[in-house]
Amino acid sequence: MEKTQNERTVLFVTKATPEDNEFTEWLAPRLEAAGYQVFADILNLEGGERWRKTLTRTLQDRAVKQLLICAGDGLHKNGVQEEIGIAADVSRTTGDEKFTIPLRVRSFRKVFGMGELQYLNFEDSYADGLADLLETLEKQNVPKLNEPLIQPQWEQHRRRNEIRLENRAETLTSNWVAIENAPDEIAYVAPTGPCDRDKLKRRANSFAFPTYPHLSGFITFASPLEMAEHFEGFGPIKTIATSRLSSFMEKGWSELDIKSREAKNILVALFRQAWERRLSSIGFQEYGWASGLGHHAAPAQIRINERVAWGPKEGKRRSVLRNVAKGRVWSYGVSAIPNLYPFPHFRLKARVLFSDIKENAKGDEDRQGSIIDDKESQHRHRRSDCKGWRNKSWHGRMMAFLELVAGGDSYISLPIGAGGNLVLNVMPIQMISPVTTPIVHDDEDAEETDPSTLAGDFDPEDGDTSDEEEAQK
């Protein structure tokens, strides 16, 4: 059953080309501010949606008017022709001879059947055109909402479109660090006699090297000699079998009934253990997030407001990993997620941990008190206190964190047993984008001149030292 004119509430915008987006972004929120509902494909079509069906149904069943943007040769486009045809059908079935309202944005070529329609002129003045359109809608009794509702996505879309692409390559730094080297072999190690498997697994949790329980023993890179002292009381432990690491990764281990996919999961677990145990052993502060363990710069490693140098010797940069903001101590850290595709690497997820400030802390005494032990509170603080951090700030903290882990070396070595290490490149993987944007970058020293980089919202006691003042300390 055909909907009556009063049941239709949507102003349907028909446009031809992306060049019409700017005008649509200008017009739509102003119509919404006047109380009207607006549908335009640039905003109302979600990713993966069957856009042609959505456009057709909206125009056929919900539209009270079609606002037809007229510019250049746009009316001759196939998609516009289809929407004009659908609108003509709606006009006939609803009895609304003025269903389509042409809006002249630029000079345009008319199409058959549209010549008799009177357009509203936006070419000379957007403001005058809008005034005429609002008057027309009012006269034709187009329904409004009781309370105007402007979709915030219009402004977001407009801002995105303000950034133009340039056909110029740009080097981008990822949050991936490559695994440069690993032992050639992996082993299956197990006690030679009967033992309590559950106790064996619990004992493995405090072992210096990563292990993965399998059958009555472990998949590991550690040797029986390294395990002997830690697993004392479980009887002699021997290497039952070994496998080339490359073969284990690609094919699994048929003798142990380990398929390829399970083998990859085992390696991910071992690599994660190697990272976490290494960072804990050198003093980073652990915190269990919902999606995994994070490690944060700790008071014993670095002072509040201390800047960590990173980057090449020429042009060193500095970033802060611990500071005070809004009456709380924050500490930057990461969770590291191993991945084997498309090549072995760790993906670093940034974390910011908030703690209370110690009462009666004086002078150089570290002011970090108890960790705020509430996940939702931690999330709120991060959204509030870190909202002023720019991409460069996050990048600088990640680089400074990796420098702290590496201790000044070019590589990060994670001990995994038998004298071997998992070796990571301290420099994250870079890639080349074929295009860039003409974004005006801030002063290259902006991160360094505001140690807290909280957009000025930091404890005034932290101070704000310049590079020259830093050099004089």
Side-chain angles (χ1 to χ4, degrees):
M1 180 177 177
E2 175 59 38
K3 288 190 175 185
T4 66
Q5 193 72 355
N6 289 337
E7 291 176 306
R8 296 173 173 272
T9 59
V10 172
L11 298 176
F12 185 98
V13 179
T14 291
K15 62 180 186 62
T17 65
E19 286 74 21
D20 299 327
N21 287 353
E22 183 177 352
F23 174 73
T24 305
E25 293 164 357
W26 179 89
L27 177 66
R30 286 165 173 78
L31 292 173
E32 290 180 341
Y36 298 104
Q37 287 182 283
V38 180
F39 180 97
D41 59 1
I42 60 174
L43 187 66
N44 297 99
L45 294 180
E46 297 180 359
E49 192 171 17
R50 298 180 64 180
W51 61 271
R52 193 175 294 275
K53 178 184 289 186
T54 300
L55 289 172
T56 301
R57 286 181 174 176
T58 303
L59 185 53
Q60 285 179 334
D61 301 335
R62 298 176 55 209
V64 65
K65 295 290 178 183
Q66 178 193 44
L67 303 182
L68 178 61
I69 296 179
C70 303
D73 293 328
L75 299 185
H76 294 263
K77 301 285 186 180
N78 290 337
V80 175
Q81 287 281 298
E82 290 180 18
E83 292 181 17
I84 290 174
I86 294 171
D89 289 339
V90 174
S91 177
R92 286 190 293 271
T93 56
T94 62
D96 181 9
E97 296 179 354
K98 299 178 179 179
F99 178 76
T100 296
I101 303 176
L103 310 180
R104 178 189 176 106
V105 178
R106 298 188 301 278
S107 60
F108 65 97
R109 290 177 58 205
K110 295 181 180 179
V111 294
F112 181 77
M114 300 297 296
E116 73 281 4
L117 293 179
Q118 181 63 41
Y119 62 77
L120 299 179
N121 187 14
F122 282 81
E123 185 173 18
D124 296 333
S125 169
Y126 278 12
D128 292 343
L130 177 62
D132 291 341
L133 176 57
L134 292 175
E135 182 180 353
T136 299
L137 297 176
E138 193 72 32
K139 287 181 178 179
Q140 296 184 20
N141 296 318
V142 174
K144 298 181 180 181
L145 299 173
N146 293 329
E147 294 288 339
L149 176 63
I150 302 176
Q151 301 179 74
Q153 292 91 331
W154 289 118
E155 178 64 15
Q156 296 168 8
H157 192 276
R158 184 189 65 79
R159 289 182 178 180
R160 285 199 301 269
N161 285 346
E162 284 181 344
I163 302 174
R164 307 299 180 188
L165 294 180
E166 292 184 354
N167 290 320
R168 177 167 52 86
E170 179 182 6
T171 301
L172 302 176
T173 302
S174 73
N175 62 333
W176 292 12
V177 288
I179 298 175
E180 299 287 353
N181 194 28
D184 293 330
E185 288 189 339
I186 193 167
Y188 171 59
V189 178
T192 56
C195 67
D196 188 321
R197 294 184 184 179
D198 291 335
K199 287 185 178 180
L200 187 68
K201 291 178 183 179
R202 288 195 294 272
R203 182 73 65 85
N205 291 334
S206 57
F207 187 43
F209 304 117
T211 58
Y212 189 91
H214 184 73
L215 300 177
S216 60
F218 302 100
I219 306 296
T220 184
F221 295 98
S223 68
L225 184 62
E226 291 168 327
M227 302 180 75
E229 181 177 355
H230 185 79
F231 290 91
E232 185 178 1
F234 289 93
I237 295 178
K238 292 187 177 181
T239 298
I240 308 301
T242 60
S243 171
R244 297 285 296 178
L245 182 60
S246 57
S247 175
F248 179 71
M249 185 186 305
E250 295 301 323
K251 303 176 183 178
W253 202 337
S254 58
E255 292 82 0
L256 299 179
D257 196 26
I258 297 175
K259 308 298 183 185
S260 174
R261 184 170 182 175
E262 184 184 359
K264 290 180 173 61
N265 291 337
I266 290 173
L267 285 178
V268 165
L270 291 173
F271 291 172
R272 184 192 291 268
Q273 285 183 45
W275 171 273
E276 292 175 350
R277 294 183 185 193
R278 173 59 178 166
L279 266 68
S280 296
S281 70
I282 58 178
F284 282 86
Q285 185 171 15
E286 294 182 4
Y287 186 79
W289 299 92
S291 57
L293 189 65
H295 286 82
H296 299 262
Q301 294 176 304
I302 187 169
R303 301 186 308 274
I304 285 177
N305 202 25
E306 180 181 352
R307 297 186 292 175
V308 178
W310 58 270
K313 291 183 179 179
E314 301 80 13
K316 280 275 188 186
R317 301 284 305 282
R318 290 180 172 82
S319 295
V320 176
L321 295 177
R322 298 180 65 241
N323 213 340
V324 175
K326 298 182 181 178
R328 291 176 289 269
V329 175
W330 60 263
S331 176
Y332 178 89
V334 304
S335 293
I337 301 97
N339 205 308
L340 304 179
Y341 180 83
F343 48 80
H345 67 275
F346 278 78
R347 178 166 57 87
L348 305 182
K349 180 178 177 61
R351 306 286 197 183
V352 181
L353 183 66
F354 292 89
S355 304
D356 294 324
I357 292 182
K358 285 181 182 178
E359 295 183 6
N360 304 321
K362 297 179 181 178
D364 294 334
E365 180 184 347
D366 195 279
R367 289 178 279 174
Q368 181 172 331
S370 301
I371 294 173
I372 299 173
D373 194 19
D374 180 83
K375 301 295 193 298
E376 292 186 4
S377 180
Q378 289 281 350
H379 179 68
R380 286 196 304 272
H381 293 326
R382 185 179 188 272
R383 288 177 61 87
S384 172
D385 296 3
C386 305
K387 65 182 179 181
W389 295 7
R390 299 152 297 168
N391 285 338
K392 187 169 69 172
S393 302
W394 288 104
H395 171 256
R397 301 202 197 292
M398 181 181 70
M399 297 300 297
F401 185 90
L402 290 172
E403 286 284 348
L404 197 60
V405 176
D409 292 337
S410 300
Y411 296 92
I412 297 172
S413 295
L414 309 178
I416 53 177
N421 293 304
L422 197 64
V423 180
L424 316 181
N425 195 324
V426 76
M427 180 63 194
I429 295 167
Q430 293 185 325
M431 55 197 75
I432 305 296
S433 169
V435 296
T436 187
T437 57
I439 296 176
V440 178
H441 295 284
D442 296 327
D443 178 16
E444 284 300 309
D445 289 331
E447 160 70 7
E448 287 69 46
T449 55
D450 176 3
S452 71
T453 61
L454 289 177
D457 196 359
F458 62 99
D459 192 320
E461 293 182 5
D462 292 342
D464 188 0
T465 56
S466 66
D467 286 336
E468 289 77 17
E469 290 171 332
E470 186 74 18
Q472 294 172 7
K473 290 183 179 179

